Amino acid sequence: MIKSMTGYGKGEAADIQGRCVVEVKTVNNRYGEVSVKMPRSFLAYEHEVRKAVGGRVKRGKADLFVQWEAATGEVVVPPLNHAVARGYHQAFLDLAHELHVSAEIPLSLILAQRNVLQESASEEQGDLLPLVLQAVGQALDGLDGMRLREGEALQADLKGRRTDLAALVAQVRERAPQVVDEYQQKLQQRLEKLLGGTELDPQRLAQEVALLADRCDITEELVRLESHFIQFDETLLLKEPVGRKLDFLMQEINREVNTIGSKANDATITSLVVQMKAELEKMREQVQNIE
């Protein structure tokens, strides 16, 4: 079953230490990209979190957010580094003296400086990795559910458009032999009119018709299109990410349709090619959303 590249999921896990909330969203991207945002005290878990996301999201851009809420009654007061605070205070006083300005040094300014207030060491919390991965797993399950639902809709739409496209190709296949016959009749009528009763050389006429038949022959393109359609149908049934393969097949199908349009030399086939290209563009847009 194909998956959409866009989706959202949320997961929660809690124990006596607190509650971990994870949200993940994915959007279209040509390659696989994972962005993780979490508290600094959780940075040691980032590798495992990225590994878990990468195992489920093969293509697209994934943004994952981890929030930690300490258990009720567990108030964590960040320790104050007095030496660093005094150093900043003295530095501000020295700078004010050097610049010959008089200004009070607010406490909030000192507290805002780096390393004045220190985060609690992650070792004091105990190992929270299992809890984080549990929440991440729930979020990814929710994400997969949404992406699968959207994938089903995409698959149904592509199948319908593929059927419509095949119907247009069938009309082209039916029309192609008539092009040469009609050209022969028109050419013969024009030559008879121009020659004014002079006998027409059948061999010369046959040569001209043969040249046109060779230039307008789209048999190979129609055969390759049929092969691409079969591969397209088979790819939709694969259990692995198929977005890139479908994108490649769309390029190949579009190439064959363009070739048919350039070789057709017939208004009816040209009109059908225009319809085919419009359908292909809609299919290509849908394929861009598939993982």
Side-chain angles (χ1 to χ4, degrees):
M1 178 62 69
I2 66 174
K3 293 182 182 178
S4 168
M5 275 195 285
T6 58
Y8 170 83
K10 183 176 182 180
E12 297 184 17
D15 64 7
I16 59 173
Q17 297 184 78
R19 183 170 71 109
C20 181
V21 180
V22 174
E23 293 180 277
V24 59
K25 65 176 182 179
T26 56
V27 294
N28 294 3
N29 193 285
R30 186 175 180 181
Y31 305 104
E33 182 180 338
V34 179
S35 173
V36 177
K37 294 183 180 180
M38 57 175 58
R40 291 188 62 184
S41 59
F42 281 31
L43 291 181
Y45 309 145
E46 183 173 350
H47 174 73
E48 292 298 326
V49 170
R50 285 181 175 275
K51 184 178 177 181
V53 177
R56 303 278 285 274
V57 180
K58 303 299 183 182
R59 187 172 178 233
K61 185 179 186 302
D63 292 303
L64 185 135
F65 305 89
V66 179
Q67 294 179 314
W68 172 252
E69 299 175 4
T72 305
E74 201 177 293
V75 180
V76 179
V77 179
L80 175 65
N81 192 322
H82 292 80
V84 174
R86 285 194 295 269
Y88 276 117
H89 182 259
Q90 187 60 49
F92 291 143
L93 290 176
D94 292 345
L95 181 61
H97 178 72
E98 182 179 342
L99 299 177
H100 305 289
V101 297
S102 59
E104 294 184 1
I105 311 300
L107 182 60
S108 59
L109 176 62
I110 297 174
L111 292 174
Q113 304 309 306
R114 188 174 181 180
N115 296 329
V116 174
L117 290 178
Q118 299 176 323
E119 292 190 23
S120 299
S122 59
E123 290 80 11
E124 297 176 0
Q125 295 178 328
D127 185 13
L128 296 176
L129 179 59
L131 198 69
V132 173
L133 292 180
Q134 181 182 345
V136 169
Q138 289 183 11
L140 291 174
D141 287 342
L143 174 71
D144 268 350
M146 178 177 289
R147 295 199 304 156
L148 280 170
R149 288 191 296 272
E150 291 191 13
E152 290 176 0
L154 288 172
Q155 187 175 37
D157 183 75
L158 285 172
K159 283 184 176 180
R161 297 190 184 281
R162 150 74 173 84
T163 301
D164 294 341
L165 186 61
L168 293 170
V169 172
Q171 294 180 53
V172 171
R173 184 182 292 106
E174 182 180 354
R175 172 64 182 168
Q178 302 174 27
V179 174
V180 178
D181 293 339
E182 291 181 4
Y183 175 78
Q184 181 176 2
Q185 295 174 11
K186 291 178 181 178
L187 181 60
Q188 185 171 357
Q189 291 172 2
R190 290 174 185 171
L191 290 175
E192 289 175 352
K193 184 176 181 181
L194 290 172
L195 294 174
T198 305
E199 184 178 354
L200 180 64
D201 184 357
Q203 185 175 358
R204 180 58 179 165
L205 176 62
Q207 290 177 351
E208 290 294 330
V209 173
L211 287 173
L212 176 77
D214 183 62
R215 291 197 303 268
C216 297
D217 185 22
I218 56 175
T219 303
E220 291 185 11
E221 287 75 19
L222 292 173
V223 170
R224 283 195 291 266
L225 270 179
E226 188 62 34
S227 174
H228 294 331
F229 287 158
I230 293 173
Q231 292 181 66
F232 191 88
D233 293 341
E234 292 175 347
T235 302
L236 286 179
L237 300 177
L238 296 178
K239 302 299 182 181
E240 61 194 50
V242 295
R244 290 181 181 174
K245 185 173 182 179
L246 288 175
D247 189 41
F248 172 76
L249 285 171
M250 293 305 304
Q251 294 178 36
E252 293 301 306
I253 292 173
N254 190 64
R255 182 178 292 111
E256 302 301 338
V257 170
N258 283 335
T259 304
I260 289 173
S262 64
K263 294 173 68 173
N265 196 28
D266 177 70
T268 301
I269 293 181
T270 299
S271 176
L272 290 169
V273 167
V274 170
Q275 296 178 57
M276 291 161 66
K277 293 179 72 172
E279 203 66 40
L280 280 171
E281 180 61 23
K282 295 174 184 176
M283 293 176 69
R284 189 190 67 80
E285 291 177 356
Q286 295 290 51
V287 167
Q288 297 302 313
N289 295 320
I290 295 176
E291 183 184 52

